[in-house]
Amino acid sequence: ETALALANRLGWQADVELATGNSAGAIALRSEEAALIDRLLRTDPENAEFRERRLWPDVGIAVALVRQNRNAEAIRILKRCLAAYNQMATSRSDDVTITEARIRITAIAANAARDSGSNEAAQFAARARLLYQQLRRTHTAAQMARFDAMMIELEQGGRL
């Protein structure tokens, strides 16, 4: 439990580093976070919370890579994370947190693909819109506000 709490704090600090423009520092902290969760997974490899939580540092690293214009690397990581979340969604189809994560990751991948001129940008954006529509069926307007903003940014070509 202490290791997971520390991992959370490393993730928060990585977000601060990224917000202040230190993407290299964010990547280093996210790597430490990942190592802590990897240790937890070695002791309990079937723990669904740890398996999902392990994806967070990878997404954070991908976001930092996008900030460094290392979009191809970011997209590879995001695709791996999406595959893992898609697998989780097959057994937890009613878990909206999985759908929320899939929207966010897909939108980040769409931006990275667009920024790099990849032809995958339209595919990622279309997938994000489908997931967004799925989420609208279970969320109130207030709950959708951040996803509405995310979709507007995606459609207007802004950064998430």
Side-chain angles (χ1 to χ4, degrees):
E1 211 170 290
T2 302
L4 192 56
L6 178 56
N8 287 337
R9 277 139 188 91
L10 287 167
W12 294 334
Q13 183 62 38
D15 289 344
V16 170
E17 293 297 322
L18 193 60
T20 60
N22 184 4
S23 55
I27 290 170
L29 288 166
R30 289 294 187 173
S31 296
E32 287 182 55
E33 176 188 10
L36 280 171
I37 299 167
D38 285 343
R39 276 190 268 161
L40 291 171
L41 278 167
R42 280 193 294 278
T43 63
D44 189 1
E46 298 304 313
N47 186 306
E49 177 187 2
F50 295 164
R51 288 195 342 252
E52 180 182 359
R53 183 61 183 77
R54 178 54 185 85
L55 297 171
W56 297 4
D58 288 346
V59 173
I61 288 170
V63 170
L65 291 171
V66 168
R67 299 280 171 88
Q68 294 178 341
N69 292 315
R70 294 165 59 190
N71 294 309
E73 291 173 74
I75 291 168
R76 278 192 299 277
I77 293 168
L78 293 167
K79 282 181 176 180
R80 190 177 67 239
C81 292
L82 278 171
Y85 269 111
N86 289 340
Q87 180 64 35
M88 286 179 213
T90 61
S91 62
R92 296 165 48 188
S93 61
D94 61 340
D95 188 336
V96 295
T97 61
I98 299 293
T99 304
E100 290 173 354
R102 291 166 66 206
I103 290 172
R104 181 173 178 267
I105 295 166
T106 304
I108 295 165
N111 282 335
R114 183 201 62 233
D115 290 351
S116 67
S118 169
N119 60 1
E120 290 181 295
Q123 295 167 349
F124 283 124
R127 182 69 181 141
R129 283 189 292 275
L130 285 173
L131 290 165
Y132 171 80
Q133 291 302 325
Q134 180 181 340
L135 200 61
R136 286 186 66 81
R137 292 192 291 264
T138 61
H139 280 47
T140 65
Q143 291 170 316
M144 287 302 295
R146 68 185 164 121
F147 298 102
D148 293 340
M150 190 182 296
M151 290 297 106
I152 290 168
E153 281 291 312
L154 182 62
E155 299 300 331
Q156 293 178 348
R159 283 219 180 258
L160 300 174

